[in-house]
Amino acid sequence: QVQLVESGGGLVQAGGSLRLSCAASGRTFSNYGMGWFRQALGKEREFVGDISGNYGTYYADSVKGRFTISRDNAKNTVYLLMNSLKPEDTAVYYCAARLGVLAMDWDAYSYWGQGTQVTVSS
């Protein structure tokens, strides 16, 4: 079983930056693709981006060019660097781990972090 612990959420002004971290347990971290999702109040959970075990990335159109996913397999940690933040980025952000092929649906991911709140003020 993989356990994921997130950190780095908080309050930031529009145009600012924030980096989220997700630390994973286990010695086979590199076998997992790692995704980021977010859920705003009153909205469904949506896909943000994903990074494979060999560092390939894929992003939702809404964050492409602003957000960057990276991972450090030696530290069992995945990161989400968020630049040029907008108020509409306000949401609870979740990291998740998958063993299967990339999919932009939450059901493709087997393990989830607890979520961390990101609030962007205007």
Side-chain angles (χ1 to χ4, degrees):
Q1 184 175 358
V2 176
Q3 293 182 331
L4 306 174
V5 180
E6 298 167 326
S7 61
L11 175 65
V12 64
Q13 291 185 334
S17 298
L18 201 63
R19 189 177 76 162
L20 307 183
S21 299
C22 179
S25 66
R27 294 174 292 177
T28 58
F29 176 72
S30 62
N31 293 334
Y32 292 89
M34 298 296 298
W36 287 94
F37 290 76
R38 65 186 183 185
Q39 187 167 20
L41 283 175
K43 302 290 184 65
E44 295 183 353
R45 188 178 303 179
E46 67 173 343
F47 175 81
V48 174
D50 182 276
I51 184 166
S52 69
N54 61 356
Y55 309 104
T57 56
Y58 186 83
Y59 300 94
D61 288 342
S62 59
V63 306
K64 193 175 300 181
R66 299 189 298 121
F67 290 10
T68 302
I69 300 173
S70 61
R71 68 190 296 161
D72 187 337
N73 288 340
K75 297 181 179 179
N76 282 14
T77 302
V78 63
Y79 305 95
L80 179 65
L81 175 62
M82 302 179 291
N83 293 322
S84 302
L85 282 163
K86 306 173 182 178
E88 50 263 46
D89 294 319
T90 296
V92 176
Y93 283 72
Y94 301 88
C95 66
R98 62 171 171 84
L99 285 172
V101 68
L102 168 67
M104 296 184 292
D105 189 274
W106 63 269
D107 196 44
Y109 295 80
S110 300
Y111 304 99
W112 293 83
Q114 78 284 359
T116 184
Q117 177 70 47
V118 173
T119 302
V120 184
S121 62
S122 60

